[in-house]
Amino acid sequence: MKQVSLEVLREEPDVTILHLSGEIGLDLVPQITAVLEEHRQKGASHWAVDLSRVDFLSSPAVGVIMGLRSRVIHMHGSVSLFSASRELSEKLQLMGVDLAIPSYLDKSDFLNHFRWEFKGASRSVRLTLPAEIRAVPPTRRLIAGLLESKGYGHKDAFVMETIVDELSNNAIEHGRPSDGIFEVKLDFDRREARLSVSNRIDALSGEEKSRLVQSYEHPRVDPGSLRGRGIALVKKLSSRVNCRVDGEKVEVEIVRKREKP
Amino acid sequence: MQKVQTVHLAVSEDSDFRPSLEKAVADYICALGWAYSDASLVESSVGDWFERNSPGSGRFFSRLEIRKQDESVVLSALDAEGRNVAGKAL
């Protein structure tokens, strides 16, 4: 088997994989440099290095990979590593490589992240929860944590926490779900987050339904009242708010654009 | 209104989500008053369970059910069809 080979991924043709195998010492550096350079000049901008069969990676070889990163970054490209053994991962960390080049568990994990970063892939969260007020704090903390784990800023996460809190409290307190549960759905990508909170209710009259929908479309704040500011706040913090009453289900959906990092 | 004592969590398979999900499991158990031991013990039991089933930063279960049952809390990992593939009573 060749110690150095390239593969353009069939499932993701923008990605070129550099497969390395065995001990990658100084002797292989000219060969690696040549194949990378030849392919890069043909326009390959997204690269991943498969380390699954690498027993040893010398620092000059690491230098070649770092050099590739410097060149493709100007083309809005990327370089990643995947499937490094535990020992190799530790060595790369000691060399500070992880600060510049992300490393993934395996090819599938790499592709998952690549599609999020460069192909607009989204992530989803589905929660079915007891309709109890004490279920709300862990829910908002979970949503904020998931957003932050994908690079959303603290402000975005805090705003979404606030929205989750308001909509969940409304679903529990005012919705009084007949089946004792409420549901939270979140779909998000790098640009926006779409959150919905829903619950079952006893059937509403036409007038009640219309009043409920209106309260989300045109929230009114009574300065003298201690309550009723939540919907206005949600509306202010969201790019879009929509309330649907479908039979015995109420669903409030908001869309919020991510702030520029 | 029915008293429900089950939480279902399902997230996309993404290794970045594991720390938040792991933390959330212990958070729900404690916040809902289902824990029979203190928060740090719950966190450590949940952490051990995640670690045993998906060591290191490896793959993890992205569909979970937390259920209060009699005197314990049952934690189950579900597959895409909702079948129980791993469980633990806390």
Side-chain angles (χ1 to χ4, degrees):
Chain A
M1 178 176 183
K2 281 187 183 175
Q3 273 196 281
V4 180
S5 64
L6 289 186
E7 174 196 8
V8 175
L9 278 188
R10 202 179 306 163
E11 65 267 44
E12 204 60 76
D14 289 353
V15 175
T16 306
I17 306 275
L18 168 66
H19 295 282
L20 299 176
S21 178
E23 299 201 348
I24 310 298
L26 183 60
D27 55 321
L28 285 173
V29 165
Q31 188 189 343
I32 298 171
T33 307
V35 292
L36 291 183
E37 199 48 28
E38 186 192 339
H39 212 68
R40 191 186 66 79
Q41 285 182 359
K42 288 182 191 163
S45 56
H46 292 292
W47 294 78
V49 184
D50 174 7
L51 299 172
S52 60
R53 293 194 198 90
V54 171
D55 303 317
F56 176 81
L57 192 64
S58 66
S59 60
V62 171
V64 173
I65 297 168
M66 295 293 273
L68 174 67
R69 178 190 172 270
S70 312
R71 286 191 288 279
V72 298
I73 218 155
H74 300 298
M75 306 155 69
H76 303 288
S78 64
V79 177
S80 303
L81 310 173
F82 67 83
S83 297
S85 64
R86 182 171 292 201
E87 293 77 14
L88 188 50
S89 292
E90 282 170 10
K91 182 180 173 184
L92 292 169
Q93 275 178 25
L94 288 172
M95 294 165 96
V97 175
D98 59 320
L99 301 174
I101 300 182
S103 184
Y104 299 103
L105 299 171
D106 52 29
K107 186 171 130 186
S108 149
D109 193 32
F110 155 69
L111 279 173
N112 210 8
H113 283 81
F114 174 79
R115 288 170 177 148
W116 162 268
E117 205 65 42
F118 297 102
K119 297 287 176 179
S122 62
R123 297 289 184 269
S124 71
V125 181
R126 301 287 182 265
L127 311 174
T128 306
L129 304 157
E132 291 184 44
I133 291 296
R134 54 191 181 165
V136 177
T139 303
R140 57 177 170 74
R141 287 193 282 268
L142 171 60
I143 297 292
L146 295 173
L147 289 169
E148 285 185 322
S149 76
K150 296 307 294 176
Y152 273 58
H154 182 68
K155 187 180 171 192
D156 276 316
F158 176 75
V159 167
M160 285 303 282
E161 263 198 73
T162 303
I163 296 172
V164 168
D165 192 66
E166 293 294 342
L167 296 183
S168 301
N169 287 337
N170 277 356
I172 297 164
E173 203 181 359
H174 302 301
R176 293 188 298 278
S178 46
D179 55 0
I181 60 169
F182 72 107
E183 290 178 305
V184 176
K185 293 181 190 171
L186 173 71
D187 292 286
F188 64 106
D189 57 23
R190 282 170 51 85
R191 291 175 307 163
E192 64 178 33
R194 181 182 298 267
L195 174 89
S196 92
V197 177
S198 61
N199 62 277
R200 299 227 157 260
I201 48 162
D202 295 330
L204 297 179
S205 67
E207 194 187 327
E208 288 170 323
K209 186 174 157 181
S210 156
R211 204 180 312 133
L212 179 61
V213 172
Q214 282 296 311
S215 71
Y216 280 93
E217 283 180 3
H218 306 289
R220 277 199 217 148
V221 177
D222 174 0
S225 168
L226 297 176
R227 309 293 301 269
R229 288 172 176 81
I231 300 175
L233 177 65
V234 168
K235 186 117 183 165
K236 212 161 238 177
L237 296 173
S238 310
S239 315
R240 225 165 42 235
V241 179
N242 183 31
C243 174
R244 275 191 301 271
V245 184
D246 180 12
E248 295 179 356
K249 183 181 177 187
V250 177
E251 180 171 27
V252 180
E253 183 184 75
I254 71 99
V255 177
R256 180 177 154 81
K257 301 271 179 216
R258 181 183 175 182
E259 298 209 351
K260 284 199 175 121
Chain B
M1 190 169 80
Q2 279 179 260
K3 175 87 173 160
V4 173
Q5 296 192 307
T6 310
V7 168
H8 280 106
L9 312 174
V11 300
S12 299
E13 281 185 26
D14 185 322
S15 50
D16 290 340
F17 286 170
R18 178 178 159 164
S20 298
L21 192 66
E22 190 175 322
K23 208 168 157 188
V25 171
D27 204 4
Y28 276 112
I29 293 171
C30 296
L32 288 164
W34 294 351
Y36 291 95
S37 45
D38 67 38
S40 60
L41 277 175
V42 174
E43 271 176 41
S44 123
S45 300
V46 171
D48 288 348
W49 186 74
F50 267 80
E51 190 58 30
R52 206 167 38 253
N53 288 288
S54 47
S57 56
R59 303 225 169 274
F60 63 99
F61 296 120
S62 56
R63 290 166 60 100
L64 297 167
E65 181 187 85
I66 312 163
R67 192 173 69 251
K68 184 172 184 297
Q69 190 174 292
D70 304 323
E71 296 301 304
S72 60
V73 176
V74 178
L75 187 54
S76 306
L78 310 175
D79 66 10
E81 279 75 45
R83 287 181 301 237
N84 190 336
V85 288
K88 178 186 176 72
L90 299 174

